[in-house]
Structure formats: structure tokens, C-alpha cells
Amino acid sequence: MSASSMRQNFLRFDKLFKAECRLCHTGKRGPNVLITGGLGQLGTGLARELRARHGAETVILSDIIKPEESEIANGPFIFADVLDFKCLQEIVVNKRIDWIVHFSALLSAVGENNVPLAVRVNIEGLHNVMELSKQYKLKLFVPSTIGAFGPESPRNPTPNLCIQRPKTIYGVSKVHAELLGEYYNKRFNLDFRCLRFPGIISYDSHPGGGTTDYAVQIFHDAITTGKHHCYLRPDTRLPMMYIDDCLRSTIEFMLAPTDKLSTRTYNVHAMSFTPEELFNEVRKWVPELEIEYNPDARQKIADTWPMVFDDSIARQDWGWKPSIPLDSLVEIMITNLRRLYKEKEKA
Ligand code: SER
């Protein structure tokens, strides 16, 4: 992103945030935000972005995992089990929370390996944050996913509104979240907001057991072993996004004025590629990289998911626009991972 468009983005955020502050009961610089599942792939990055704008104390990361030193260096962290309503309620009250960003969930592949746990975390956990957000009039963000679609959905492109019959417990739980959130919005005026994310790619945090994870692992393999074992077929096309675009979409959407939203659940798109196409891009940086394809159970999941997301409604309603294409993503991943692995070696 160029310096001038970064500055434009900053000014836009700043204006929207000031409007948001007037709406928050705290009357402070920004909303107080609780992030559940905060030590997953997206939490620390979102906390960093929000804290940079509004101060470290305004964002509380929470999880049930013990954090690394680096994950708690920049602001508050608290234990929170999304299955424990009282525990969440205490945080909301004591910390005067205005927004919940509910990242806590089991992804597609791990969900299939432990369905009862996925039901508890993804469905019961959601019920807790939704009820709490209703009671305390919080703004609630819940990510949904390409996995909320199934084989009967149009796959190229997949529109915002179409048939959704997902075949994983992850997808089923996310359709449940979309529908319940939209229902609470209409019935109780809950300010529920939901973005359907593609596979997210990042270098300083790891995805937690999804079907799109190969698109992160291939970069680590390129730098460490020089060989990637891909669990998908070379022609499996899936929508993907670099984490900075994902976090920016979340903040822009949370700040979008209510009257701009024609729905509460939006597809967001950035790029779409196959393992073979990604491999060819990575090889421009690491020519010696080798790949071997051994499709496993995740292939079956990917075969039912969108190949390309139609995000025209998000673009129209609140101005969504991705900024990082595939070649830039590959450059960012390779250069940063090379640096991080070198630093590790020295340590
Ligand atoms: N990255 C997720 C998964 O693969 C999709 O939302 O499960």
C-alpha cells in the first residue's frame, strides 16, 4: 500500500472512530473491546491495530491458552472461557466493554476431528456472547467463512445470498451464527456484524487447523525444508486474503454507519488461487522449492467450498476494497519469514 493511501485509510478510520466514541458510554478515546479466542491467528493482530489507534488499555485479549510473553507485551490479557457465561459477564461489567470480537472457534479440519467440542465452542460459546451482547447492548462481531457454503452453493462466484448447506460442523455452526445474529438484530436490535472470510494468510501468527492452512505452511517449508507436502490437489481453487486486509475489513466494517448496512453478513474477497498457482509464485523467490501432492480428508471439504467470492455488496454498502494482491502477499511472507527464521537461528 502506498504512503498516501495508508494516510487516507488512517484519516478515514480516525473520523469513524471519533464518531464511534461519541456513541460509546465511556466517552473516552475509543470503544473498550474484548477479543475472545484472542491468541488464534487474528486476535493479536487486531489488538495491535486497535491499540495503536486508541491506546493499549482499550483492547483486552482473552483466551484459555497460556500466552507467550510477546503476546501480552502490548496490552491487557485475561483468561476467558467462552463456555462460562458468568466469567464473560464479569469481564464485560468490570472492564466496561463496548464491543465483543468473537474469534473463538474450532476451524474446519479440527472441528471434524472433535465434533462435540466444536458444537460446544462454536455454538454454545456463540450463544453466550450473543446473549451477553444483547443484555449489555454491545456491538458484536463474529467472523463467518467460505466454509459456510456447501456443494449446492454456486462456487464461482459465490454470491452474498444463496443456498447454504455446508457439510462440516464448522460450516454448520457458522451458518447458525449468521442466522441467529441476524435474528437478534431484527428481534432485539443487537448490533451484530459478520464478515465471511476466505483463508487468511499471515507470517507472525498461525492458523489453527483449517482447510486453507497449506497456503501458510508452504511459505514456512519454502524457507526451512525446501519441500512442501500439499494435502490438496494442485487445481483446488479457494479464496484467500492477507491478514492486513482481513483486519482492516473488520475495523472498517465495525465502524461503518448502521444506515449503510443492507445486511448483517457480508462476503469479503481479495484473491483466489490454486496450490499450483501459489507454488509457482513462491518459486519466483525460492526456485529450489519442491512440492508433492497427497490429498487427504481436507480435499473433500475444499471441494464443497467457494472458488471465488462475490463481495460486491460489501463494496457497495461500506466501501470494502482489498489492497494486497497475490504477488505482494508472497513478497511479504517470504521476506518476513526469512527475517524471523534468521532471528531465531541467532537467538
Ligand atoms: N480458514 C478456514 C478453514 O480452513 C476457513 O474459514 O477452516
Side-chain angles (χ1 to χ4, degrees), residues 165-191:
R165 285 289 180 272
K167 303 299 178 216
T168 61
I169 188 60
Y170 173 59
V172 170
S173 70
K174 288 298 183 179
V175 175
H176 172 70
E178 294 177 7
L179 292 176
L180 197 68
E182 289 178 9
Y183 173 77
Y184 267 51
N185 171 253
K186 289 273 173 309
R187 179 82 168 74
F188 304 115
N189 209 20
L190 170 69
D191 196 347

Side-chain angles (χ1 to χ4, degrees), residues 307-319:
M307 293 190 256
V308 175
F309 241 2
D310 174 353
D311 63 357
S312 50
I313 311 280
R315 289 171 189 250
Q316 267 163 41
D317 283 6
W318 47 276

Side-chain angles (χ1 to χ4, degrees), residues 41-42 144 146 195-203 212 215-216 219 238-250 266-273 309 311 314-315 318 320-326 329-330 332-333:
Q41 190 184 15
L42 307 180
S144 185
I146 48 175
L195 293 181
R196 294 192 189 112
F197 290 139
I200 304 298
I201 299 174
S202 55
Y203 66 83
T212 56
V216 175
F219 290 101
L238 290 168
M240 302 277 181
M241 182 182 276
Y242 183 61
I243 190 166
D244 285 11
D245 270 345
C246 164
L247 300 178
R248 185 169 56 80
S249 72
T250 305
Y266 289 90
N267 294 352
V268 281
H269 190 72
M271 66 190 85
S272 183
F273 54 73
F309 241 2
D311 63 357
R315 289 171 189 250
W318 47 276
W320 165 242
K321 202 168 166 240
S323 65
I324 300 170
L326 178 58
L329 174 146
V330 172
I332 296 170
M333 289 296 290

Side-chain angles (χ1 to χ4, degrees), residues 226-331:
K227 178 144 194 184
H228 178 63
H229 295 270
C230 189
Y231 54 77
L232 295 180
R233 275 193 323 263
D235 62 347
T236 312
R237 182 170 300 284
L238 290 168
M240 302 277 181
M241 182 182 276
Y242 183 61
I243 190 166
D244 285 11
D245 270 345
C246 164
L247 300 178
R248 185 169 56 80
S249 72
T250 305
I251 299 176
E252 286 185 4
F253 179 50
M254 283 300 267
L255 294 172
T258 303
D259 62 4
K260 296 251 188 253
L261 307 183
S262 64
T263 179
R264 290 287 164 162
T265 305
Y266 289 90
N267 294 352
V268 281
H269 190 72
M271 66 190 85
S272 183
F273 54 73
T274 65
E276 190 169 31
E277 287 165 0
L278 180 59
F279 172 64
N280 289 333
E281 278 300 318
V282 180
R283 278 246 279 207
K284 291 181 185 163
W285 291 81
V286 186
E288 65 279 13
L289 177 65
E290 291 172 26
I291 193 162
E292 198 183 297
Y293 296 99
N294 299 114
D296 68 13
R298 287 168 280 192
Q299 182 67 52
K300 261 195 165 162
I301 297 178
D303 284 342
T304 69
W305 282 4
M307 293 190 256
V308 175
F309 241 2
D310 174 353
D311 63 357
S312 50
I313 311 280
R315 289 171 189 250
Q316 267 163 41
D317 283 6
W318 47 276
W320 165 242
K321 202 168 166 240
S323 65
I324 300 170
L326 178 58
D327 56 348
S328 312
L329 174 146
V330 172
E331 180 176 354

